[in-house]
Amino acid sequence: RILAAQCASLVHSYLFAMFRSIARRNMFDNLASSYDTPWKIARSQEVAAVISSRPWFRSGEKLLDVGAGTGLLTFAMEPHFKQLTAYDTSAGMLEVLNNKLVELDDRKIATSMGPISNLGTYDLIVSLLAFHHVKDFVALAGELNNNLKPGGRLVVADLVAGDHVRLFHKPWQMCGEHYEHDGFTEQQFQDMFGPGYTSYDEQRLVIRKKVDREWNCEHEELDFVLAVASSEKAC
């Protein structure tokens, strides 16, 4: 009976996680056609500028963008790499990106829905505002270590936990359902890069964002902090 109860609990947990994952993908599929805004394009360009200004940065052969969405960061990093892969689990987001690539006749960027283990190895892996959608972010960073060439680097740009970071999302977007973390603490950013990583680096960036009207906030816009955190694949 105990074993049966444990099995039932595991099945329930698996099904709950699966349906939550499907609901989250559907959310991004529905947002895809209207996702690109001048503010999001500028934000991606700012993050790309921070990445390319770090002392460890080198232009390279191959880049992987994890949680690429419609490819805003991928495009911003394109001048520095010969081949780029935009990975996402949302078919809707990648459809928008693929349409852009056709319009631009861009043959440097490829898209993929994975799995990550089949994507090969890269000089640089980047991710913008995707890790806070992943419950076990340490496990994801560990998995991506396998996709780095020797001396390659993983860069995670994501929200820093703070008093009003919940307002970054809309009121109906609930933590634990539509995303997993209201930002990360400094310690969590460091812990993100476990065994297999070395030479931790972090640069912070303040971004201003309009707050959803349903929050009834006294300010139309608020400042949020992004950490551009990274570590190198250990030899």
Side-chain angles (χ1 to χ4, degrees), residues 28-79:
F28 282 107
D29 287 346
N30 293 334
L31 291 172
S33 62
S34 58
Y35 186 79
D36 290 2
T37 63
W39 175 79
K40 287 175 182 171
I41 294 170
R43 177 186 67 192
S44 299
Q45 292 171 342
E46 285 183 77
V47 170
V50 169
I51 294 172
S52 61
S53 71
R54 303 310 295 155
W56 46 259
F57 179 79
R58 301 288 184 276
S59 294
E61 186 76 22
K62 295 177 67 181
L63 174 141
L64 172 64
D65 186 357
V66 175
T70 60
L72 299 183
L73 182 59
T74 318
F75 282 118
M77 295 298 300
E78 187 175 13

Side-chain angles (χ1 to χ4, degrees), residues 9-213:
S9 177
L10 287 172
V11 170
H12 177 269
S13 297
Y14 171 77
L15 289 174
F16 178 78
M18 180 182 71
F19 286 124
R20 182 173 62 184
S21 177
I22 292 171
R24 199 168 295 173
R25 285 200 300 270
N26 289 341
M27 178 184 74
F28 282 107
D29 287 346
N30 293 334
L31 291 172
S33 62
S34 58
Y35 186 79
D36 290 2
T37 63
W39 175 79
K40 287 175 182 171
I41 294 170
R43 177 186 67 192
S44 299
Q45 292 171 342
E46 285 183 77
V47 170
V50 169
I51 294 172
S52 61
S53 71
R54 303 310 295 155
W56 46 259
F57 179 79
R58 301 288 184 276
S59 294
E61 186 76 22
K62 295 177 67 181
L63 174 141
L64 172 64
D65 186 357
V66 175
T70 60
L72 299 183
L73 182 59
T74 318
F75 282 118
M77 295 298 300
E78 187 175 13
H80 303 288
F81 292 87
K82 295 179 181 179
Q83 300 175 46
L84 303 93
T85 300
Y87 162 76
D88 206 285
T89 59
S90 167
M93 288 285 185
L94 292 184
E95 181 181 4
V96 172
L97 173 52
N98 283 321
N99 289 338
K100 293 183 197 177
L101 296 176
V102 170
E103 290 175 10
L104 295 170
D105 193 25
D106 190 322
R107 303 182 185 184
K108 288 176 63 177
I109 298 174
T111 62
S112 175
M113 294 185 69
I116 290 175
S117 58
N118 291 347
L119 295 181
T121 57
Y122 298 83
D123 302 286
L124 188 68
I125 300 176
V126 298
S127 182
L128 173 58
L129 291 172
F131 266 60
H132 74 270
H133 288 280
V134 179
K135 189 168 188 177
D136 194 345
F137 54 89
V138 176
L140 175 58
E143 183 179 4
L144 290 171
N145 188 274
N146 299 319
N147 296 93
L148 286 170
K149 295 179 181 179
R153 202 170 189 95
L154 169 62
V155 182
V156 177
D158 219 310
L159 292 165
V160 175
D163 292 337
H164 61 259
V165 70
R166 172 71 182 91
L167 276 63
F168 186 87
H169 295 93
K170 300 181 186 299
W172 59 267
Q173 294 173 331
M174 304 302 296
C175 186
E177 183 178 352
H178 299 97
Y179 65 98
E180 295 292 344
H181 307 277
D182 279 317
F184 300 104
T185 65
E186 183 175 357
Q187 189 61 54
Q188 284 177 313
F189 273 110
Q190 293 178 18
D191 292 344
M192 196 177 285
F193 303 93
Y197 287 101
T198 187
S199 304
Y200 179 80
D201 177 65
E202 183 184 311
Q203 179 73 28
R204 296 200 171 189
L205 173 68
V206 177
I207 58 172
R208 175 152 288 209
K209 183 179 186 292
K210 285 187 177 181
V211 178
D212 191 277
R213 293 178 181 177

